[in-house]
């Protein structure tokens, strides 16, 4: 693997890994990590290196994580989520990350040698929402997308978190509108690039069923990784499964 580049692009923290042949034109594959493991840009690069691709692989840091944690760190993020996970976490993270992507992409196209080829986007869990939102908005020409542990409908995930943490989420008109906006089964027609869905066989039904519904509605490719739940930390079989699926997908879709 070539030397990793680390820095910020248009204010967005990232790490980037060069293509197999640094002297040749390359695709650019950009994505976002999970809020669970792998929960940072560096951890996502370690978990899903896609090392065989003739592509720059760029891993962006999500808002409210890593270098952009608020004062109080993760305790403050959890506090905000406890008050209102939809309005205090999912919406601001997704809106900021999707909104800042075009400027960051334009800067990286200039900075990364040879990164002139087609664009792929990817993400995991909360990062998958960002990737799908970027794809749906159409602010950048995306040739292919891939999402793992994919949150393709937000509302069922909020219900799953109620079970997981023993809490009750109080829906409001505004939060229901946000959840409706992050329903990519309903918005499937806006996802115009080829899409790969990678789901853990042991993930919550709140993730697996919507992914299957989007697969059926859109004709997207669906890969199930045996033994994987929602997280896929670096070095685990789940991470290896996601990496293999992403690598095959982008190698096939980002030629030229």
């Amino acid at each position: 693997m070539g030397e990793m580049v680390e820095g910020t692009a248009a204010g967005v923290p990232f790490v980037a890994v060069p293509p197999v042949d640094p002297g040749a034109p390359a695709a650019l594959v950009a994505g976002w990590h999970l809020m669970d493991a792998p929960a940072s840009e560096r951890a996502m690069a370690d978990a899903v290196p896609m090392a065989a691709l003739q592509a720059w692989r760029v891993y962006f840091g999500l808002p409210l994580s890593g270098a952009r944690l608020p004062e109080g760190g993760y305790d403050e993020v959890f506090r905000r989520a406890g008050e209102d996970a939809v309005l205090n976490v999912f919406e601001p993270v997704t809106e900021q990350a999707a909104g800042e992507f075009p400027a960051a992409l334009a800067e990286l196209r200039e900075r990364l040698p040879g990164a002139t080829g087609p664009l792929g986007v990817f993400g995991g869990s909360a990062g998958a929402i960002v990737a799908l939102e970027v794809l749906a908005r159409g602010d950048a020409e995306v040739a292919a997308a891939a999402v793992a542990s994919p949150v393709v409908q937000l509302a069922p995930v909020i219900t799953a978190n109620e079970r997981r943490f023993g809490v009750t989420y109080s829906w409001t008109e505004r939060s229901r509108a946000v959840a409706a906006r992050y329903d990519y089964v309903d918005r499937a027609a806006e996802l115009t690039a080829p899409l790969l869905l990678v789901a853990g066989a042991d993930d919550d039904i709140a993730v697996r069923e919507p992914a299957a519904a989007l697969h059926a509605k859109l004709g997207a490719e669906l890969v199930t990784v045996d033994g994987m739940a929602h997280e896929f930390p670096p070095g685990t079989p789940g991470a290896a499964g996601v990496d293999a699926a992403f690598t095959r997908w982008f190698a096939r879709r980002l030629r030229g």
Side-chain angles (χ1 to χ4, degrees):
M1 186 168 73
E3 186 174 350
M4 185 177 287
V5 177
E6 189 169 4
T8 60
V12 184
F14 75 91
V15 296
V17 185
V20 174
D21 181 357
L28 194 155
V29 182
W32 298 266
H33 57 80
L34 293 69
M35 289 183 174
D36 299 299
S40 70
E41 55 269 39
R42 180 66 70 106
M44 190 72 166
D46 290 342
V48 191
M50 296 178 274
L53 290 182
Q54 179 55 23
W56 277 97
R57 285 93 68 211
V58 177
Y59 305 82
F60 288 114
L62 285 174
L64 296 184
S65 71
R68 297 195 284 183
L69 277 172
E71 186 175 348
Y74 284 109
D75 286 344
E76 171 62 13
V77 176
F78 294 143
R79 187 195 67 78
R80 295 184 190 187
E83 285 189 350
D84 195 315
V86 173
L87 299 183
N88 290 348
V89 178
F90 283 105
E91 181 183 37
V93 166
T94 304
E95 291 303 302
Q96 182 177 342
E100 68 195 9
F101 175 66
L105 172 66
E107 184 172 322
L108 288 169
R109 287 284 200 192
E110 295 292 327
R111 287 172 56 182
L112 301 177
T116 57
L119 172 68
V121 296
F122 66 92
S125 189
I129 308 178
V130 178
L132 293 169
E133 184 64 17
V134 164
L135 181 55
R137 290 185 182 191
D139 293 333
E141 185 178 349
V142 177
V147 288
S149 300
V151 178
V152 302
Q153 288 180 317
L154 181 56
V157 171
I158 298 302
T159 301
N161 283 343
E162 288 181 309
R163 296 194 304 268
R164 178 182 177 186
F165 297 111
V167 298
T168 300
Y169 180 74
S170 298
W171 288 97
T172 64
E173 185 176 346
R174 183 180 165 204
S175 62
R176 289 188 187 282
V178 171
R181 191 161 76 245
Y182 301 149
D183 183 340
Y184 298 98
V185 177
D186 188 56
R187 296 174 63 192
E190 299 174 51
L191 306 177
T192 55
L195 175 64
L196 170 68
L197 301 159
V198 181
D202 298 335
D203 204 346
D204 195 282
I205 195 169
V207 173
R208 290 184 289 107
E209 280 197 348
L214 184 58
H215 162 65
K217 186 170 184 179
L218 195 61
E221 188 164 325
L222 175 63
V223 171
T224 300
V225 179
D226 289 337
M228 186 176 99
H230 195 70
E231 300 183 348
F232 45 93
T236 62
V242 173
D243 182 57
F246 278 19
T247 301
R248 287 193 301 268
W249 176 255
F250 286 125
R252 192 164 83 239
R253 293 288 180 175
L254 299 182
R255 295 193 183 104

